[in-house]
Amino acid sequence: MNTRAWIVFLDESGVSLLPQIRRTYAPRGRTPLLRHRLNWKRASMAGALGYHSTDPERGARLCFHLKPGSYDTTALIEVLEQMKAFYRGERVVLVWDGLSAHWSRAMRAWVAEQDWLTLERLPAYAPELNPV
């Protein structure tokens, strides 16, 4: 690992616009009908939190990316392209989990062409290790 680099933790999360109410109260014998005007649309966000490996005075950097739908390899490569511009030529060690899109053949091929980026994988079932 390059000793003068940003250590960046990245993770994605999705939200649905459906209400979370599953149960409610009603008089006995009258099944309640819960109405809402939302549909199954989904939004996702990727957040990245970076720390400089040798200069803590530089402070943490937070960036995020929003998109409708879910993340796949193509969308994550777009996020990494934006991250490349955000860190402008600095070295980045990216730490993320074992999501299949993170380690797909297309992602590995793209990363192999990047001289600014090194990938590290978090252990399985260890969300406490990712500050994002």
Side-chain angles (χ1 to χ4, degrees):
M1 177 174 81
N2 187 336
T3 58
R4 295 183 51 82
W6 286 89
I7 310 300
V8 178
F9 295 88
L10 187 133
D11 204 4
E12 309 83 19
S13 184
V15 293
S16 172
L17 298 177
L18 281 179
Q20 294 298 314
I21 298 172
R22 304 256 192 250
R23 297 178 184 208
T24 188
Y25 294 98
R28 186 176 294 227
R30 294 187 188 165
T31 304
L33 181 59
L34 301 176
R35 297 175 195 254
H36 59 83
R37 295 184 179 171
L38 303 173
N39 56 27
W40 283 99
K41 289 185 180 174
R42 186 173 168 84
S44 296
M45 181 174 96
L49 186 59
Y51 303 93
H52 197 273
S53 61
T54 59
D55 189 1
E57 296 298 317
R58 293 178 84 169
R61 288 185 176 178
L62 174 67
C63 57
F64 61 92
H65 181 269
L66 300 169
K67 77 177 283 326
S70 299
Y71 282 100
D72 58 9
T73 299
T74 304
L76 286 171
I77 288 173
E78 181 180 309
V79 170
L80 294 178
E81 288 283 1
Q82 291 179 14
M83 185 182 293
K84 181 179 182 178
F86 185 77
Y87 283 99
R88 287 192 204 108
E90 298 197 60
R91 303 234 359 114
V92 171
V93 177
L94 183 64
V95 182
W96 57 10
D97 58 25
L99 180 71
S100 60
H102 295 172
W103 304 99
S104 68
R105 186 174 295 137
M107 180 63 76
R108 288 189 311 241
W110 184 85
V111 169
E113 298 172 357
Q114 309 303 310
D115 61 349
W116 64 279
L117 183 63
T118 304
L119 297 183
E120 294 292 335
R121 187 175 187 164
L122 286 169
Y125 308 110
E128 70 278 1
L129 296 178
N130 191 340
V132 176

